[in-house]
Amino acid sequence: MTGTAQNERILISAPGKVILFGEHSVVYQKTAVAASLGLKSYLFFEKRKDDLIQLVLPDVGIERNWRLSEIPLRFDYPDSDTRHPNDMPTELKARLVELSGPTIKDSQIQALMAFLYLLIIMESKAEKPLVHGLTVCVRSFLPVSAGLGSSASYSVAIATALLLLNNKIPFDFNSRSDRELYLETINTYAFKAEEVIHGNPSGVDNAIATFGGAKTFMRGEGFATLEGFKSLRLLLTNTKVPRSTSALVAGVSVKRKKYPEIVEPILDSMHGIAIRCRDAFKKLQNEELDTESLMDEIEDLVTLNHCLLDGLGVSHPSLEKVRSITAQSGLKTKLTGAGGGGCAVTFIRDDVSQELINQVMLKLQLEGFDCYQTSVGGTGADAVMLNKDETDKWLLEASRETLEKYF
Amino acid sequence: MTGTAQNERILISAPGKVILFGEHSVVYQKTAVAASLGLKSYLFFEKRKDDLIQLVLPDVGIERNWRLSEIPLRFDYPDSDTRHPNDMPTELKARLVELSGPTIKDSQIQALMAFLYLLIIMESKAEKPLVHGLTVCVRSFLPVSAGLGSSASYSVAIATALLLLNNKIPFDFNSRSDRELYLETINTYAFKAEEVIHGNPSGVDNAIATFGGAKTFMRGEGFATLEGFKSLRLLLTNTKVPRSTSALVAGVSVKRKKYPEIVEPILDSMHGIAIRCRDAFKKLQNEELDTESLMDEIEDLVTLNHCLLDGLGVSHPSLEKVRSITAQSGLKTKLTGAGGGGCAVTFIRDDVSQELINQVMLKLQLEGFDCYQTSVGGTGADAVMLNKDETDKWLLEASRETLEKYF
């Protein structure tokens, strides 16, 4: 297995995720559809000549340097595969908290803890101890706390980097015939990191950030690859209106209890929408549906799902504004995630001109929204070798467009 | 029975109707709720000293004078009660078409035909032939072809006038203990007029214009009085966007055929909304629900129903604009009728100030919409005696507010 030689620089990318259909109804055992988002996290990784472990996370405002000797890399932790990180030995936990400190924001501690935890569980089982340090720098183009899987994207990126460091996967894992096995390994470790960050994650976000494409999922039933999923163009608009996911989920729960005869059928309809999306791509794959008809269906499903969510009270004037602006150009929009603000996705048919897209984006930006032209359903985790010139400083300054060209 | 003495002037009013819940789903055997609308038609009625039958309908641009001798008032038509007007004797139909001519718009012919038909079927059975003429002048404050039952309101008004002329009902029918019987009579004749106008009407519109209040109805099952219905304040906004009811109904039918697993539950949910509205008023009557809670429910149902209709594709940017403007002041709006433009109803809680209502109305008017502050669920057909000073000319010039004060 080819690892990364000393002084090799690697760029890793891992996508975010977006819920296409079934937010909220998924809470009530209905099917949802999520897909990888073209907005990604990018990780620069390089072995160092000194003994420093350097972690640079500009998006969460962190730059840390630890000496190898500070970190309990050879910690005796044989059952790390089966234990939940919450149940890690007290002694280890105390040490990780200490290394993550001094007291900082929860989100910063979580990012540091996830990295250190993965590093230790891998190194504790490594044949050879780590003698040189490394630099890891991660940049993310994913809005945080927006339901776009930014933490999973980070988790997948660090898992990939540390597996490369330990020669558990080759840097060109995506070109190998046993690609799926490597991705499974990445996903397993990424899930561990997600457990450190979220406690009890569903595993959907990291699976999508690892494998790419789209997945259907249902509470208690796990998730399944959505066969035949075709990458779709999308505008992602962040209204930047803050909201509380738990309050929105609770609001729907209150409505369902108060109006079961009205809300239950709405949830059934949402389930129908997700299933219909799944079946449409299957039909596309089996050539029972052409691309044009698929686009028509997606547009219908987007409108239907958004209106049902609006009925449940989880839209917001800002989201309706996005819907109305895009509708003026014939584009269909739905909220994505919890709603009540946050993000909206606007589906872009193949035949829509770049000129029209630019006009719509300008209108949305003039309303104060952040707007990204991107795609869903693309590849998951990926890695490329960099030139010597491309350092962690280069990563910090590179534009999204520049970075996207590497993959 | 006290009829109208020579020279008495009578003012009759008959409300429009508005669908509160269940438009479109009613096509698929689901329950809908309709209620009388505070916007009404007003009919001025006076016996004349000469032999002219004068019909003045300024809203449809008609002013007609017939001599009594021109109209086949004693036409031998004993089975008029049981025959559909479409099946009237050929000879009679030819004469009515001739009297309605020369060639004018369909809506004008229908209004004239309905009046003449009612006049003839009543007079043909009258004990004494009519020897003096009459003046009938009708003004309507209901937008036409807007799903607001303007024709039923007209039909009820002319039926009431002609029943008064024939001493079949007293002018103070609403104060009599056998009120319901008189209303039944009015409704029976109004339905005949509706048959002349529409061919095969459901009978809901004329029942509401006659009896007032609210009714639930279901295709093939007829309609029922919604017990305990409380008159509610409302803004009625006419977007003035023209639309085709049949095209909108067809659009929903196409969606239902294409996406049964999504659309059937939406129709079920709409049914649940109508039933919930019915039950809420029953509970109010039984003191199981207070007014405040009823208002909360109505607001929820308005939002839910509108969003479901939007999902089915029958909203319109103009309707969304009304929804957005009223939402800024915390008011809930839904489209009413077929959608795709037309009218929207905005529910006004008891505690909303007149100042706020005025502000909202101003905003809506600035968008170019017609906006009426009115109510639903008020009384149906009614009649009052006028002073000698109040002529048909007075009716033509009176404001809506002036006329509303008479009832």
Side-chain angles (χ1 to χ4, degrees):
Chain A
M1 208 178 276
T2 322
T4 57
Q6 185 74 20
N7 290 331
E8 274 174 2
R9 295 168 166 115
I10 303 274
L11 183 67
I12 292 164
S13 68
K17 77 108 202 325
V18 69
I19 297 181
L20 290 181
F21 301 110
E23 43 275 274
H24 286 286
S25 51
V26 77
V27 175
Y28 304 97
Q29 272 69 47
K30 310 294 177 190
T31 298
V33 177
S36 64
L37 183 65
L39 299 179
K40 300 180 181 188
S41 293
Y42 295 90
L43 184 151
F44 172 90
F45 167 62
E46 180 183 33
K47 288 189 190 168
R48 296 173 66 95
K49 289 182 179 157
D50 59 21
D51 68 340
L52 284 183
I53 305 274
Q54 184 179 49
L55 182 65
V56 183
L57 308 176
D59 301 298
V60 283
I62 286 177
E63 185 168 344
R64 284 296 167 90
N65 293 286
W66 300 282
R67 299 207 165 275
L68 278 180
S69 56
E70 287 183 274
I71 304 174
L73 292 170
R74 304 304 283 180
F75 188 86
D76 183 27
Y77 191 3
D79 52 353
S80 63
D81 288 353
T82 52
R83 277 215 221 178
H84 188 288
N86 282 355
D87 306 325
M88 72 177 98
T90 322
E91 178 193 349
L92 178 61
K93 194 167 203 167
R95 185 79 191 107
L96 293 191
V97 170
E98 198 179 339
L99 286 168
S100 303
T103 314
I104 44 176
K105 278 195 248 168
D106 278 358
S107 59
Q108 293 174 321
I109 291 189
Q110 284 162 358
L112 292 168
M113 291 277 283
F115 175 78
L116 289 168
Y117 186 80
L118 282 198
L119 180 68
I120 289 163
I121 64 171
M122 287 193 213
E123 292 306 324
S124 67
K125 292 196 180 68
E127 283 169 28
K128 292 183 198 166
L130 210 55
V131 289
H132 291 284
L134 56 141
T135 289
V136 170
C137 174
V138 189
R139 269 187 77 189
S140 174
F141 292 91
L142 288 155
V144 291
S145 303
L148 297 176
S150 64
S151 82
S153 161
Y154 169 75
S155 295
V156 169
I158 60 173
T160 306
L162 295 173
L163 286 164
L164 282 170
L165 174 74
N166 280 278
N167 296 331
K168 299 282 187 195
I169 60 172
F171 90 91
D172 57 351
F173 56 89
N174 265 329
S175 317
R176 302 291 182 106
S177 59
D178 41 3
R179 170 175 182 270
E180 286 295 316
L181 277 178
Y182 296 127
L183 291 174
E184 285 293 353
T185 307
I186 293 170
N187 192 40
T188 301
Y189 283 95
F191 184 66
K192 288 273 170 207
E194 282 283 271
E195 284 184 323
V196 173
I197 296 170
H198 293 295
N200 192 21
S202 71
V204 175
D205 289 12
N206 52 280
I208 286 174
T210 304
F211 295 96
K215 296 203 179 282
T216 56
F217 60 105
M218 193 191 267
R219 253 194 196 186
E221 301 273 317
F223 38 87
T225 299
L226 200 154
E227 299 296 339
F229 194 84
K230 173 185 173 296
S231 177
L232 300 171
R233 294 200 296 170
L234 203 75
L235 281 188
L236 182 91
T237 304
N238 185 1
T239 65
K240 297 188 279 182
V241 172
R243 75 264 153 79
S244 153
T245 297
S246 58
L248 289 156
V249 169
V252 172
S253 170
V254 166
K255 271 219 171 54
R256 177 170 167 264
K257 276 191 193 122
K258 187 169 181 186
Y259 306 110
E261 70 277 47
I262 299 164
V263 173
E264 284 296 344
I266 292 177
L267 299 171
D268 289 341
S269 184
M270 288 173 164
H271 178 75
I273 289 168
I275 295 297
R276 186 69 182 224
C277 168
R278 181 195 69 190
D279 294 349
F281 283 101
K282 259 189 211 159
K283 283 185 185 168
L284 183 78
Q285 199 178 26
N286 299 340
E287 295 181 359
E288 294 161 34
L289 198 70
D290 60 27
T291 306
E292 201 59 23
S293 307
L294 177 90
M295 301 274 176
D296 290 343
E297 288 213 12
I298 298 286
E299 286 193 340
D300 288 344
L301 300 180
V302 161
T303 295
L304 279 158
N305 203 162
H306 178 83
C307 291
L308 297 180
L309 288 163
D310 191 9
L312 294 183
V314 300
S315 188
H316 184 271
S318 62
L319 292 164
E320 293 307 315
K321 178 69 95 179
V322 179
R323 206 174 158 237
S324 146
I325 288 172
T326 54
Q328 284 162 23
S329 299
L331 305 179
K332 308 296 182 192
T333 295
K334 74 179 276 290
L335 69 85
T336 181
C343 292
V345 287
T346 303
F347 172 64
I348 305 175
R349 297 178 73 104
D350 290 348
D351 56 2
V352 174
S353 72
Q354 190 57 46
E355 197 185 339
L356 185 84
I357 297 170
N358 293 346
Q359 283 169 10
V360 171
M361 287 180 72
L362 186 62
K363 283 187 200 168
L364 290 167
Q365 283 154 356
L366 286 173
E367 292 288 335
F369 304 140
D370 287 344
C371 190
Y372 311 90
Q373 184 177 353
T374 183
S375 64
V376 285
T379 52
D382 206 359
V384 291
M385 195 81 75
L386 291 175
N387 294 323
K388 298 257 170 189
D389 300 342
E390 295 151 349
T391 64
D392 57 332
K393 299 289 171 287
W394 158 85
L395 177 68
L396 293 179
E397 286 157 17
S399 69
R400 177 159 77 92
E401 290 68 25
T402 303
L403 294 169
E404 281 175 357
K405 283 186 190 135
Y406 280 79
F407 297 92
Chain B
M1 209 177 273
T2 322
T4 56
Q6 186 74 20
N7 291 328
E8 274 174 358
R9 295 166 163 114
I10 303 273
L11 183 67
I12 292 163
S13 69
K17 76 108 205 324
V18 69
I19 297 181
L20 289 182
F21 301 111
E23 42 275 275
H24 286 287
S25 51
V26 76
V27 175
Y28 303 98
Q29 272 69 46
K30 311 295 177 191
T31 297
V33 176
S36 63
L37 183 64
L39 300 179
K40 300 180 181 189
S41 293
Y42 294 90
L43 183 150
F44 172 90
F45 165 63
E46 179 183 32
K47 288 188 188 168
R48 298 173 65 94
K49 288 182 179 157
D50 59 21
D51 69 338
L52 284 183
I53 304 273
Q54 184 180 47
L55 182 64
V56 184
L57 308 175
D59 301 299
V60 284
I62 286 177
E63 185 170 343
R64 282 298 165 89
N65 294 286
W66 299 283
R67 299 203 166 278
L68 279 179
S69 56
E70 287 182 274
I71 303 174
L73 293 170
R74 305 303 284 180
F75 188 85
D76 182 28
Y77 191 4
D79 53 351
S80 62
D81 288 353
T82 52
R83 277 215 219 177
H84 189 288
N86 282 355
D87 305 325
M88 72 177 99
T90 323
E91 178 192 350
L92 177 62
K93 194 167 204 165
R95 187 77 192 107
L96 292 191
V97 170
E98 199 178 336
L99 286 168
S100 304
T103 315
I104 44 176
K105 277 195 246 167
D106 279 356
S107 58
Q108 294 173 319
I109 291 189
Q110 284 163 357
L112 292 169
M113 291 277 284
F115 174 78
L116 289 168
Y117 185 80
L118 282 198
L119 179 68
I120 288 163
I121 63 171
M122 286 195 214
E123 292 305 324
S124 68
K125 290 196 181 70
E127 281 171 27
K128 290 183 199 166
L130 208 57
V131 288
H132 291 284
L134 57 139
T135 289
V136 170
C137 174
V138 188
R139 269 187 76 191
S140 175
F141 292 91
L142 290 155
V144 292
S145 303
L148 298 176
S150 64
S151 82
S153 161
Y154 169 74
S155 295
V156 169
I158 59 171
T160 306
L162 296 174
L163 285 164
L164 281 170
L165 173 73
N166 281 278
N167 296 329
K168 299 281 189 196
I169 59 170
F171 89 91
D172 57 350
F173 58 89
N174 264 330
S175 315
R176 303 291 181 106
S177 60
D178 42 0
R179 173 175 179 269
E180 285 295 315
L181 278 178
Y182 296 126
L183 292 173
E184 284 294 353
T185 307
I186 293 170
N187 193 40
T188 302
Y189 283 96
F191 185 65
K192 287 274 168 207
E194 281 283 272
E195 284 185 323
V196 173
I197 296 170
H198 293 296
N200 192 21
S202 71
V204 176
D205 289 12
N206 51 280
I208 285 173
T210 304
F211 294 96
K215 296 200 179 287
T216 56
F217 60 105
M218 192 191 268
R219 253 194 197 187
E221 303 273 318
F223 38 87
T225 299
L226 200 154
E227 300 296 340
F229 195 84
K230 175 186 172 294
S231 178
L232 301 171
R233 294 200 296 170
L234 204 76
L235 281 188
L236 182 92
T237 304
N238 186 0
T239 65
K240 298 188 281 183
V241 172
R243 73 266 155 76
S244 154
T245 297
S246 58
L248 289 156
V249 169
V252 173
S253 171
V254 167
K255 272 220 169 55
R256 178 170 165 263
K257 275 189 193 124
K258 188 169 181 187
Y259 306 110
E261 70 278 44
I262 299 164
V263 173
E264 284 295 345
I266 292 178
L267 299 172
D268 289 340
S269 184
M270 288 173 165
H271 178 74
I273 289 168
I275 295 296
R276 185 69 182 222
C277 167
R278 182 195 67 188
D279 294 350
F281 283 101
K282 261 189 210 157
K283 283 185 186 168
L284 182 77
Q285 200 179 25
N286 299 339
E287 296 180 357
E288 295 161 35
L289 200 70
D290 59 26
T291 306
E292 202 57 25
S293 308
L294 176 93
M295 301 273 174
D296 290 343
E297 287 212 16
I298 298 285
E299 286 193 341
D300 288 344
L301 300 180
V302 162
T303 296
L304 280 158
N305 203 162
H306 179 83
C307 292
L308 297 180
L309 288 163
D310 191 8
L312 294 183
V314 298
S315 188
H316 184 272
S318 63
L319 292 165
E320 294 307 315
K321 178 69 94 177
V322 179
R323 205 172 158 238
S324 146
I325 288 172
T326 55
Q328 284 162 22
S329 298
L331 305 180
K332 309 296 180 191
T333 297
K334 73 179 275 291
L335 69 86
T336 181
C343 292
V345 286
T346 303
F347 173 63
I348 305 174
R349 297 179 74 104
D350 290 348
D351 56 1
V352 175
S353 72
Q354 189 57 45
E355 196 185 338
L356 185 84
I357 297 170
N358 293 345
Q359 283 169 10
V360 171
M361 287 181 72
L362 186 63
K363 283 187 201 165
L364 292 167
Q365 283 154 357
L366 287 172
E367 292 289 335
F369 303 141
D370 288 343
C371 190
Y372 311 91
Q373 184 177 353
T374 183
S375 64
V376 284
T379 51
D382 205 357
V384 291
M385 194 82 72
L386 292 175
N387 295 323
K388 298 259 168 186
D389 300 343
E390 294 151 349
T391 64
D392 58 329
K393 300 287 171 288
W394 159 85
L395 177 69
L396 294 179
E397 286 156 15
S399 70
R400 178 160 76 91
E401 290 69 24
T402 301
L403 293 170
E404 281 176 357
K405 283 186 190 138
Y406 279 79
F407 296 94

